[in-house]
Amino acid sequence: MLTATAVSVTGTRVSAVALPWFVLATTGSATMTGLVAFAEMAPYVAVKALTGPVVDRLGPRAVSWTTDAVSAVTAGLVPLLHARGLLPFWVLLVMVAVIGAMRGPGDLAKSVMVPEAADHARVPMERATGLSGVTERLASTVGPAVGGGLVAATGPLAGLAVNAGTFALGSLIIAVALPRGMGRSAVPAAPAGPSEGERPAGYWGMFREGFTFLRSEPLLLTVIVMIGITNLIDAGFVTVLVPVWARESGNGPAAIGLTAAVMGTTAVVGSLIAAAVASRLPRRTVFFTGFLLCGAPRFLVLALGAPMWLVLTVFAIGGFGSGFLNPILGAVLFERVPRQLLGRVHALSDSLAWAGIPLGGLVAGAAVAMVGLIPGLIAAGALYFATTTLAGLRPEWREMDRLRGRAGGTGGTPVDPDPEHGG
């Protein structure tokens, strides 16, 4: 599972460098480049939200390898059609939209199989989600570097070809390398008799079951709302506030990459430590300490005009704290949601938490235009701090450890928190 994740994320990050450069090189238009990015992400979020019942009914393994296979063919056609002069811009938009629509359920399916892989490997859920997070962060760091070097050396078409190859390899790993029987359908087959009461629900009935379960879980709803707000703020921070700071401070574009690299590197370190020891730590304390480190301080250090060494120090500490968040969030989700509902609930929760990301840049840009960079940074940091602090005061967070060590909600199977050391 980790190998498939690494291959998939690396290829996607290579494409994130190659595709915009390809559009800029062929059209010269920043507007068209942004339209291509939107054409990929809008179907990604929308289709992912709607395919939870499909993943549960067909099984995550089948959904993962088939969507990756379709993405591989589609991505491979881009350089081929361009070489033959058969790639008008509207066709490129359609193909990118297909890739985005396939990536949504493909990523969802891989995520849904994490708890089952943890069961097979006999590791606690925090370790499994921590290693998954480490893999994603490493791939997200390596992929752009590989993509940039590849595009610089051979051109963007080579990067798109590599993306197609990683989709194909990821599909093969999921289809062939996982243990037999893993990733099956979570929905029982229809009975042979005519009894209506025993027949499995249809698509909308399954979708409604996932929504009803999510609505009945106050902790998960609180998490989604909080993460949705912080995701919106983070999107504006990365896409608008940091670039404007880099320009106005005189640090230049190199500072954007340097801050991201420092934060990403320490986040990998934090995720590794979380994978090793998070199963022994109090979740609520670690979770909100991590948010305290990675939240408001980043905004304030930029607003105060601090020297670069202090900015990098704050970003490094923030990255370290952020590395502990996803292992805990993933473990809580996998423990509280019954396995047969995991695809539906995971799809809905991810899509709701991501809903504000496309708006983050618009909101941040408007704020800078109206009040300026420094007031915008202070306001965003204050909102970040208020969101995470006020959410932490709610009684739902006391539930974080109630189902600790159980897979698949209250009906799940207990998992030894540390089989190597006796708990």
Side-chain angles (χ1 to χ4, degrees):
M1 282 303 308
L2 295 179
T3 302
T5 299
V7 168
S8 173
V9 175
T10 300
T12 300
R13 297 301 184 268
V14 169
S15 176
V17 176
L19 185 59
W21 196 263
F22 171 73
V23 177
L24 283 172
T26 54
T27 69
S29 171
T31 301
M32 288 184 173
T33 303
L35 187 58
V36 168
F38 177 81
E40 181 176 12
M41 287 310 300
Y44 179 96
V45 175
V47 174
K48 188 175 185 179
L50 296 172
T51 51
V54 178
V55 171
D56 284 339
R57 184 176 292 279
L58 299 182
R61 184 174 190 164
V63 171
S64 179
W65 75 259
T66 53
T67 53
D68 279 357
V70 173
S71 295
V73 173
T74 308
L77 284 174
V78 173
L80 180 62
L81 292 177
H82 177 71
R84 294 177 175 270
L86 300 174
L87 190 67
F89 185 68
W90 70 268
V91 173
L92 176 64
L93 286 180
V94 171
M95 299 178 76
V96 169
V98 169
I99 294 173
M102 293 296 101
R103 274 186 55 215
D107 289 352
L108 171 65
K110 292 180 185 66
S111 179
V112 166
M113 285 189 284
V114 167
E116 190 175 0
D119 289 347
H120 278 277
R122 295 186 57 80
V123 298
M125 200 63 69
E126 290 96 336
R127 185 172 301 170
T129 54
L131 290 173
S132 180
V134 168
T135 303
E136 291 181 8
R137 291 179 186 277
L138 280 173
S140 296
T141 302
V142 172
V146 172
L150 190 63
V151 169
T154 62
L157 292 181
L160 297 176
V162 167
N163 188 32
T166 58
F167 276 129
L169 180 57
S171 175
L172 185 65
I173 292 171
I174 294 295
V176 176
L178 293 182
R180 184 181 299 274
M182 183 175 168
R184 290 178 175 174
S185 169
V187 179
S195 173
E196 292 289 336
E198 296 179 358
R199 291 181 180 176
Y203 171 85
W204 289 112
M206 294 177 65
F207 189 90
R208 187 166 52 251
E209 287 175 357
F211 181 79
T212 300
F213 177 85
L214 185 60
R215 191 174 57 183
S216 70
E217 281 284 332
L219 175 60
L220 294 183
L221 287 176
T222 304
V223 168
I224 291 169
V225 172
M226 186 185 78
I227 298 300
I229 295 173
T230 58
N231 276 347
L232 185 150
I233 300 172
D234 280 330
F237 183 73
V238 171
T239 60
V240 175
L241 298 179
V242 171
V244 173
W245 162 80
R247 184 189 64 191
E248 294 190 359
S249 66
N251 289 305
I256 302 174
L258 189 56
T259 53
V262 167
M263 191 165 185
T265 301
T266 55
V268 170
V269 175
S271 294
L272 282 171
I273 295 175
V277 304
S279 59
R280 305 185 186 94
L281 300 176
R283 285 179 177 170
R284 186 179 182 184
T285 302
V286 172
F287 184 73
F288 287 102
T289 300
F291 259 123
L292 183 63
L293 294 177
C294 75
R298 290 178 294 146
F299 298 83
L300 297 180
V301 75
L302 299 188
L304 294 173
M308 195 62 187
W309 68 266
L310 183 56
V311 170
L312 294 179
T313 301
V314 170
F315 272 66
I317 295 172
F320 180 78
S322 72
F324 286 81
L325 301 179
N326 283 345
I328 294 175
L329 285 174
V332 169
L333 175 68
F334 290 138
E335 289 168 356
R336 301 190 72 85
V337 181
R339 290 285 173 87
Q340 69 271 18
L341 297 177
L342 193 54
R344 284 160 274 179
V345 176
H346 205 334
L348 286 170
S349 61
D350 272 10
S351 298
L352 291 172
W354 281 39
I357 291 179
L359 302 175
L362 297 176
V363 174
V368 171
M370 288 189 296
V371 301
L373 174 63
I374 293 177
L377 284 166
I378 293 174
L383 179 59
Y384 208 110
F385 178 79
T387 299
T388 55
T389 303
L390 293 177
L393 298 177
R394 294 185 59 84
E396 292 90 341
W397 293 101
R398 301 169 188 166
E399 295 281 305
M400 290 192 85
D401 287 286
R402 184 169 66 84
L403 298 178
R404 191 168 190 150
R406 289 186 176 273
T410 55
T413 303
V415 177
D416 183 355
D418 193 354
E420 297 176 0
H421 299 95

